[in-house]
Amino acid sequence: MTNTRMFLTMLFGAVFRRRGRALMAVVASLVGAATLFCLAAVCIEAPRQINQEMRSYGANLVVSPIQGDNRSAGIEQGMVDHTTHMVTAKAPARYATYRYETVQVNAGARVMAGIHPDQVRQLNRHWSVEGSWPRPGSVMVGRDLADSLGLTTGKQMTIGYPASQVTGTGKAGGQGRDFRVGGIVDTGGPEDRIIYADLADLELLTGAKRGTDVIEYSVNTMTSGLKTIAAGINDMTSMGVKARPVTRITAGDSHTIAMLQSLFWLVSVVVLVLTFVGVGTTMASIVSQRRSEIGLRKALGASSRGIAMEFLAESACYGLAGGLVGTALGYGFARLLCLSVFQRPLGFNWWLALGTVLLSVAISMIASIRPVLRASRIDPALVLREE
């Protein structure tokens, strides 16, 4: 029998003769691997999922004309297309354009926004709309404004654009038009004080076309990527526009992700310590049970190095078995968690799985070093005399 075959025979014999102790070591590694894989998978996936969820709550990047330029002319369509290309080249994004005008309703000044309804609906999925979005001949009124004017869906309202106001082309706007209130929007924000109309209707009311006042983007990227995109736009001073991240959205992303990552590291350290203690205690118990066997083998000529290698290989087997099963269980838990919280499946990260298994093996071997050193120092004479 070769040395390698003898080594393997002794190794597997030791494992299967003490199945109870071996199971305890495997379970310790299994729990650690399952917890670590689950936490790491969720920690890696959560920022992306949270980012996607936050994107449904409106824009996280706003582009507007630079102060001091001819702001009344707005942002021309060519510049809108160019800015959008710069943004989407870095990350997927949705966008909407807004043109704002001051109009008169019941002799009072109000803000009216000309929009492309499909763009705004896709960008602001959190808006609660009673009725319909703006259509030709109808408008959508913010909840606060509707309540103050006593407006409900289906009612008619007259919106005027004073002749004294002059558009960017120098042509005076019309005196007023009747619109149907097609919908009422409730956002809980400043949008509730604005009248929204199809851009073509606003152009007819004012009697002129002009550029966009604001471009809002919902960019599917993390805070650092968003700052890079904004900096890239701001560096192009010849564009005549400036970009700024929306603080309330980006700060929410950053704080949530930072909290999750801190929690991950804290729990990971606790799990690693518990796994280390569990495997180390089990291996110490196994060494204690095998003192007589170790003494006899050393008396027959077995080297301390050979005995140490056998115990390290045994602990590595426990770590490997626990790591493989624990990784599978951890993936199941992580997938179930993502489905229940984000309603989206979780893909399997092979690199994370490999790292978890290798870490499980490494922890098992490191935890076994002290018991193994104790086993290699056993004096065969003392052990045999005790027997």
Side-chain angles (χ1 to χ4, degrees):
M1 182 178 291
T2 63
N3 290 338
T4 302
R5 186 175 179 183
M6 175 64 75
F7 177 81
L8 294 176
T9 300
M10 296 294 295
L11 174 62
F12 287 107
V15 171
F16 289 105
R17 281 199 306 271
R18 295 169 178 81
R19 287 188 293 271
R21 298 289 181 181
L23 183 61
M24 291 175 61
V26 170
V27 168
S29 296
L30 181 153
V31 172
T35 307
L36 286 175
F37 185 90
C38 180
L39 288 173
V42 171
C43 191
I44 292 172
E45 183 68 12
R48 187 175 69 86
Q49 299 285 9
I50 291 173
N51 185 264
Q52 291 182 358
E53 289 294 324
M54 293 296 287
R55 295 295 66 74
S56 65
Y57 289 92
N60 57 356
L61 181 69
V62 174
V63 176
S64 57
I66 293 177
Q67 297 288 349
D69 285 16
N70 185 14
R71 190 179 179 87
S72 62
I75 306 171
E76 297 299 329
Q77 184 59 44
M79 185 55 64
V80 172
D81 295 339
H82 180 62
T83 305
T84 301
H85 177 72
M86 291 183 64
V87 173
T88 55
K90 299 292 185 179
R94 297 188 297 271
Y95 79 99
T97 59
Y98 301 81
R99 171 187 170 182
Y100 294 103
E101 297 289 350
T102 300
V103 297
Q104 285 188 339
V105 179
N106 294 346
R110 308 294 180 185
V111 176
M112 189 172 187
I115 62 173
H116 296 284
D118 289 340
Q119 291 180 353
V120 179
R121 181 166 53 240
Q122 289 296 318
L123 185 70
N124 299 291
R125 297 179 182 178
H126 67 292
W127 283 14
S128 176
V129 177
E130 175 189 337
S132 62
W133 285 74
R135 298 173 182 172
S138 71
V139 296
M140 182 173 69
V141 183
R143 169 60 65 185
D144 293 345
L145 183 58
D147 290 343
S148 65
L149 297 177
L151 298 174
T152 59
T153 55
K155 278 194 172 184
Q156 294 290 121
M157 64 183 300
T158 301
I159 301 177
Y161 191 76
S164 59
Q165 288 186 230
V166 179
T167 64
T169 61
K171 181 179 179 181
Q175 295 300 306
R177 291 185 59 201
D178 290 334
F179 290 90
R180 176 180 175 273
V181 179
I184 296 175
V185 59
D186 189 352
T187 69
E191 297 85 358
D192 292 353
R193 297 186 293 273
I194 297 176
I195 302 169
Y196 293 91
D198 186 271
L199 180 60
D201 277 344
L202 182 62
E203 290 173 346
L204 286 174
L205 179 66
T206 60
K209 296 182 179 181
R210 68 173 180 83
T212 295
D213 289 316
V214 173
I215 316 172
E216 291 187 352
Y217 293 93
S218 178
V219 189
N220 190 12
T221 187
M222 307 306 296
T223 303
S224 57
L226 199 64
K227 291 180 179 178
T228 301
I229 293 173
I233 295 174
N234 293 332
D235 288 342
M236 301 288 290
T237 56
S238 61
M239 293 174 62
V241 296
K242 63 178 180 180
R244 61 178 178 84
V246 180
T247 306
R248 62 177 179 175
I249 299 294
T250 55
D253 277 357
S254 301
H255 294 161
T256 303
I257 292 169
M259 182 182 66
L260 284 174
Q261 290 175 339
S262 299
L263 180 63
F264 164 72
W265 287 114
L266 177 62
V267 176
S268 296
V269 170
V270 173
V271 170
L272 288 174
V273 171
L274 292 177
T275 302
F276 184 89
V277 172
V279 175
T281 302
T282 303
M283 290 304 297
S285 176
I286 291 174
V287 169
S288 179
Q289 285 185 341
R290 296 176 61 184
R291 285 184 77 254
S292 300
E293 175 191 334
I294 295 169
L296 180 59
R297 289 178 59 189
K298 294 190 73 173
L300 294 175
S303 65
S304 297
R305 183 175 180 275
I307 292 173
M309 290 299 295
E310 181 183 324
F311 276 104
L312 286 175
E314 183 178 343
S315 63
C317 289
Y318 298 149
L320 179 62
L324 291 173
V325 179
T327 298
L329 291 176
Y331 171 68
F333 292 142
R335 183 180 177 85
L336 181 63
L337 186 61
C338 284
L339 285 173
S340 61
V341 175
F342 300 112
Q343 287 77 49
R344 297 187 183 96
L346 174 69
F348 190 79
N349 190 326
W350 289 100
W351 289 109
L352 179 60
L354 178 61
T356 301
V357 173
L358 293 178
L359 183 61
S360 180
V361 173
I363 290 175
S364 295
M365 295 181 69
I366 294 171
S368 303
I369 290 177
R370 186 174 179 181
V372 167
L373 289 176
R374 192 186 312 154
S376 65
R377 293 170 183 167
I378 290 177
D379 188 342
L382 294 177
V383 174
L384 295 177
R385 187 181 302 128
E386 292 174 1
E387 295 294 324

